[in-house]
Amino acid sequence: MTHLIAIGGSDAGISAALRARELDPSVNVTVVVADRYPNFSICGIPYYFSGDVTPWQSLAHRTTADLEATGMRLRLDTLATGIDVAGRKLQLRNPDGSVEDLGYDELVVGIGALPSHAGIVGLDQLGAEDGVHVIHSMGDTFALDRHLTERAPRSAIIVGAGYVGLEMAEAFTVRGIRTTQLQRGPEVLSTLDPELGALVHTELDQHGVEVVVNSTVKTIRKTAAGLTVTGIHEDAPFERTADLVLVVVGVRPNTALLEKAGATLGPGGAVVVDEGMRTGLPHVYSAGDGTITHHRLLGPTYLPLGTTAHKQGRVAGENALGGDAKFAGSVGTQVVKVFDLVAARTGLRHHEAAAAGYRPLTTGSSADDHLRYYPGAHPISFRITGDHRDARLLGAQLVGRLGTEVAKRVDTFATALYAGLTVPQISELDLAYTPPLGSPWDAVQAATQAWEAAAPGRRASARNASGAKPQTKPPMLAQRDPSRTQDPRIDNA
Ligand SMILES: Cc1cc2nc3c(=O)[nH]c(=O)nc-3n(C[C@H](O)[C@H](O)[C@H](O)COP(=O)(O)OP(=O)(O)OC[C@H]3O[C@@H](n4cnc5c(N)ncnc54)[C@H](O)[C@@H]3O)c2cc1C
């Protein structure tokens, strides 16, 4: 009977194990997990701290018992320390410290990523017991939780204003902790254009988060007053002190095991795989945050996301049983809630598209989420990037109030990117409409029409990526619903 071992108990490892058991209930599946928290939702940790999700056990997608009921065997608190590829053996360190060689027929490695330290001096010496935290595992979660409950910090510095940093800024603020957010770049949420990041910045301001952009943190040290962070702010030295410091400056792929076993590293230092998640080492697959991501517009890249880890793990689990599944590729769709605002993106931004050899045109616009005469309409701000030559959609960014369905609207663009649609083709989609929820031309289409208006001559020649000529209509801005009061604002990047 085939013995499949999945290393890693999070999105990638568990997805692989579940898929294998689903396809062949006779297959022998062992999941090796460094801690005792398999299948916990890392993505939900900020909502445990905000108090939206309690108790912490609720973060489990499935309990240990649920997982074992599928027939997989869990080896918890067990560290994989080496792979003998030729002998098809995995070296393990058991919870009691003993070491063991465990034979496998097929191996899926899903050991994820590790928090980045971004070269900050002091981070190697200071840890959770000193009040300096990272947030990537349930262990990190418990350490921060202990700090918050036992020491009741009144102030916090968050280094980094990406997705996780913003979610944690909200959580700390909701708990009454005075929060300072330090961001290296000129605007928060640097994965969006600064025009949209500025809206998120305003939201943070309005909820009392002190945001300091253009601040590069160099050191963290313990002082009599607490924890002192020093660095450079707009060419001048700066210093801030707080009771707690949380460093959330991204992740780096955890490749130690596979690198030692002879796997190749690629973009971002992640393990190279083919579209079937094969590492090139016989019988060894890799999935999740330690692995490169095939991006449908960029090719191989590094884009660690939970959605991707789930899909890659499923492909690896299927192929480990002899299947021929393919990871269809990511388009980099991401969304975050920051207090009462939602920010999302998919595909490429202007500069990313230009660097990849596209000829981007980017327009900014704004349209109400539903008809203004129906109460509660709010604008959604868009930035649409399309290729100037063939009008192919390259990317979309959106920011709107919670409730304006930004997350689902970005999915329309993600679907269009997957299908290789042109921007004018999105204007033609049959999207849902009723006054309390949308407009005859959905906000998504107001944004694509704004792009079309800025790309004169594009409509007639627009072709989709497969070369098909879309059925275009006369200019739509002239035909827009007269009840719409807000015209798209155009600004070319
Ligand atoms: C706070 C936070 C919020 C996030 N929010 C989102 C979100 O909203 N949307 C989104 O798409 N993504 C989000 N992400 C990213 C997402 O969580 C990751 O992309 C995802 O968890 C990756 O899954 P993975 O299985 O590849 O690795 P990981 O989740 O990193 O898990 C690695 C697993 O391997 C185990 N392991 C490691 N080394 C060994 C070893 N040597 N032996 C045995 N086991 C080992 C670990 O214990 C763990 O079980 C968030 C991340 C964080 C930290």
Side-chain angles (χ1 to χ4, degrees):
M1 193 199 306
T2 302
H3 183 206
L4 166 68
I5 300 183
I7 317 175
S10 189
D11 299 345
I14 295 292
S15 295
L18 287 171
R19 183 61 174 155
R21 288 290 307 170
E22 179 182 80
L23 289 173
D24 183 356
S26 75
V27 76
N28 183 5
V29 175
T30 304
V31 184
V32 175
V33 191
D35 63 19
R36 57 179 59 212
Y37 306 103
N39 215 191
F40 270 71
S41 174
I42 307 301
C43 308
I45 293 172
Y47 308 105
Y48 170 64
F49 286 113
S50 67
D52 291 322
V53 177
T54 55
W56 61 265
Q57 287 88 342
S58 314
L59 291 175
H61 291 296
R62 294 172 193 78
T63 64
T64 298
D66 292 338
L67 292 168
E68 285 172 341
T70 69
M72 68 179 73
R73 203 159 92 90
L74 294 170
R75 299 278 302 261
L76 304 182
D77 283 326
T78 303
L79 198 67
T81 54
I83 304 168
D84 171 0
V85 176
R88 289 206 227 173
K89 278 185 294 203
L90 184 65
Q91 283 121 40
L92 299 179
R93 190 181 316 132
N94 289 313
D96 62 3
S98 63
V99 294
E100 177 189 344
D101 279 349
L102 186 63
Y104 64 80
D105 296 302
E106 307 293 334
L107 181 68
V108 177
V109 182
I111 59 172
L114 301 167
S116 170
H117 282 183
I120 298 171
V121 175
L123 262 185
D124 288 341
Q125 290 85 47
L126 296 172
E129 59 290 349
D130 304 295
V132 179
H133 298 267
V134 293
I135 197 87
H136 195 77
S137 65
M138 290 310 292
D140 299 333
T141 304
F142 299 138
L144 178 56
D145 202 23
R146 260 195 315 277
H147 187 149
L148 296 176
T149 49
E150 290 173 8
R151 289 152 70 183
R154 284 179 301 166
S155 59
I157 291 171
I158 298 180
V159 183
Y163 290 86
V164 178
L166 295 172
E167 290 169 349
M168 290 302 296
E170 177 178 345
F172 284 167
T173 303
V174 165
R175 295 175 77 115
I177 300 171
R178 202 173 62 252
T179 302
T180 299
Q181 188 133 38
L182 303 177
Q183 166 77 335
R184 187 173 54 180
E187 194 44 277
V188 301
L189 199 53
S190 60
T191 47
L192 295 191
D193 287 347
E195 293 86 341
L196 297 188
L199 302 176
V200 177
H201 190 145
T202 302
E203 185 73 3
L204 292 162
D205 287 344
Q206 286 174 351
H207 285 84
V209 178
E210 184 200 15
V211 179
V212 190
V213 295
N214 295 315
S215 309
T216 303
V217 172
K218 301 279 189 194
T219 66
I220 303 176
R221 62 196 156 87
K222 267 176 128 167
T223 56
L227 289 157
T228 299
V229 169
T230 59
I232 304 293
H233 171 60
E234 289 171 357
D235 299 329
F238 82 93
E239 187 173 291
R240 282 280 195 294
T241 297
D243 299 334
L244 179 157
V245 175
L246 175 67
V247 180
V248 271
V249 290
V251 295
R252 60 197 157 90
N254 182 6
T255 56
L257 273 181
L258 280 171
E259 200 179 345
K260 215 162 56 173
T264 306
L265 302 188
V271 173
V272 171
V273 289
D274 66 10
E275 53 191 0
M277 311 313 296
R278 298 174 188 88
T279 59
L281 300 173
H283 308 284
V284 181
Y285 300 77
S286 179
D289 278 9
T291 316
I292 62 157
T293 305
H294 173 74
H295 192 293
R296 292 177 72 89
L297 295 165
L298 293 177
T301 183
Y302 182 56
L303 195 49
L305 284 170
T307 43
T308 302
H310 276 94
K311 294 183 184 90
Q312 290 184 337
R314 184 179 166 92
V315 168
E318 181 162 343
N319 291 347
L321 298 197
D324 191 25
K326 291 183 173 53
F327 173 59
S330 164
V331 288
T333 311
Q334 302 162 44
V335 62
V336 64
K337 173 182 114 52
V338 186
F339 295 101
D340 300 321
L341 214 59
V342 178
R345 70 167 281 185
T346 187
L348 307 179
R349 289 166 57 197
H350 193 95
H351 67 281
E352 295 163 342
Y358 296 100
R359 293 276 303 280
L361 169 72
T362 299
T363 56
S365 61
S366 162
D368 288 342
D369 68 311
H370 64 255
L371 285 186
R372 187 164 279 189
Y373 67 70
Y374 188 89
H378 291 289
I380 303 173
S381 299
F382 291 88
R383 287 183 71 77
I384 304 295
T385 301
D387 195 302
H388 202 275
R389 297 164 300 186
D390 60 5
R392 178 183 178 176
L393 177 72
L394 297 173
Q397 304 165 58
L398 295 67
V399 175
R401 310 296 313 161
L402 193 59
T404 57
E405 306 294 354
V406 162
K408 287 305 128 194
R409 284 185 160 112
V410 78
D411 287 345
T412 303
F413 291 109
T415 308
L417 284 169
Y418 182 96
L421 297 189
T422 64
V423 177
Q425 283 177 315
I426 299 169
S427 302
E428 295 171 346
L429 294 176
D430 179 20
L431 302 180
Y433 163 57
T434 182
L437 301 174
S439 305
W441 297 113
D442 188 75
V444 160
Q445 293 170 316
T448 54
Q449 289 165 11
W451 187 91
E452 291 177 65
R458 277 291 100 229
R459 300 181 55 73
S461 61
R463 291 175 186 278
N464 72 5
S466 63
K469 191 169 188 308
Q471 295 176 337
T472 51
K473 296 191 183 79
M476 291 173 183
L477 286 171
Q479 307 174 1
R480 290 167 68 238
D481 184 335
S483 63
R484 182 194 295 280
T485 53
Q486 191 173 14
D487 279 339
R489 295 190 307 264
I490 316 283
D491 66 86
N492 293 333

